[in-house]
């Protein structure tokens, strides 16, 4: 069942990160619907030096300041389009990066397989016909927590946060 209630996304980032695990992300590509189970995510929050929104609103990160349920895509290393789901209330500046789908891990791989482009910025997951989230009733029973990856620029205390979540097998 498609999640159309905006309140699902308008929660604090750590809550949304765990809620997204086991949900189905659907991408419409050329008239075909592709479904993937979300298996790994990373959270980026308010007052978090690893978060793109930590230094304020810019043209690049502006989608992060929308209300929860909006898509934020950024280009990493000039190669990979990275998919994020904004969480919280408008202007919170926080979101969840999708790091793994099914048995595929790595945000760059996720972006490539799902054909994520920056044209998806600002898509509202509750109403979009291009990308959305479904709940098929699957309940995640065990979640593993790890430090986030690739944030050497962030303050040490932010690097050490266990804000990467993965469905345990």
């Amino acid at each position: 069942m498609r999640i159309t209630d905006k309140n699902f996304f308008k929660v604090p980032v750590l809550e949304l990160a765990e809620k997204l695990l086991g949900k189905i992300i659907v991408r419409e590509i050329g008239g075909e619907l592709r479904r993937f189970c979300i298996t790994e995510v990373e959270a980026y929050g308010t007052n978090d030096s690893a978060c793109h929104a930590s230094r304020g609103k810019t043209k690049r990160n502006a989608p992060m300041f929308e209300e929860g349920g909006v898509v934020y895509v950024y280009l990493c290393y000039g190669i990979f389009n990275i998919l994020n789901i904004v969480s919280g209330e408008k202007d919170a500046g926080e979101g969840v990066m999708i790091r793994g789908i099914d048995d595929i891990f790595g945000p760059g791989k996720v972006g490539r397989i799902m054909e994520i482009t920056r044209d998806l910025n600002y898509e509202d997951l509750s109403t979009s016909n291009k990308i959305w989230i479904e709940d098929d009733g699957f309940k995640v029973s065990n979640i593993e927590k790890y430090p986030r990856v690739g944030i050497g620029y962030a303050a040490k205390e932010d690097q050490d946060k266990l804000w990467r979540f993965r469905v345990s097998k």
Side-chain angles (χ1 to χ4, degrees):
M1 174 180 285
R2 183 178 176 149
I3 297 172
T4 58
D5 183 356
K6 290 284 290 181
N7 291 319
F8 176 88
F9 304 101
K10 291 169 63 174
V11 296
V13 69
L14 294 176
E15 183 179 338
L16 182 60
E18 291 195 37
K19 283 173 59 172
L20 286 170
L21 290 174
K23 298 297 184 273
I24 306 301
I25 189 161
V26 182
R27 177 81 167 98
E28 186 280 326
I29 303 169
E32 177 187 342
L33 297 182
R34 299 184 190 173
R35 289 180 163 80
F36 307 92
C37 181
I38 300 173
T39 53
E40 185 176 18
V41 297
E42 274 184 9
Y44 291 88
T46 306
N47 301 317
D48 171 11
S49 64
C51 182
H52 287 176
S54 66
R55 294 191 183 115
K57 189 174 183 178
T58 65
K59 184 177 178 183
R60 176 188 187 214
N61 71 16
M64 291 194 77
F65 292 89
E66 296 299 317
E67 68 181 2
V70 168
V71 172
Y72 166 52
V73 179
Y74 69 90
L75 186 64
C76 182
Y77 303 127
I79 302 170
F80 305 110
N81 284 308
I82 308 298
L83 174 62
N84 297 264
I85 299 173
V86 175
S87 64
E89 298 294 331
K90 186 167 176 61
D91 296 321
E94 57 186 34
V96 178
M97 176 197 300
I98 307 301
R99 287 195 55 83
I101 51 173
D102 297 329
D103 290 327
I104 298 152
F105 296 96
K109 290 179 185 177
V110 168
R112 188 175 66 247
I113 287 166
M114 293 186 66
E115 296 185 31
I116 299 300
T117 67
R118 283 168 282 154
D119 291 338
L120 291 172
N121 268 327
Y122 295 101
E123 282 293 316
D124 183 335
L125 293 168
S126 67
T127 59
S128 176
N129 292 321
K130 298 175 184 177
I131 188 169
W132 62 89
I133 304 290
E134 294 179 349
D135 185 349
D136 67 356
F138 175 74
K139 301 289 183 210
V140 174
S141 59
N142 196 17
I143 298 172
E144 298 171 355
K145 298 178 182 182
Y146 302 96
R148 295 173 293 181
V149 178
I151 57 169
Y153 56 86
K156 178 76 168 117
E157 62 269 15
D158 291 332
Q159 291 180 44
D160 292 340
K161 289 178 179 174
L162 301 179
W163 283 13
R164 181 165 50 115
F165 304 91
R166 183 182 252 187
V167 174
S168 181
K169 293 188 178 199

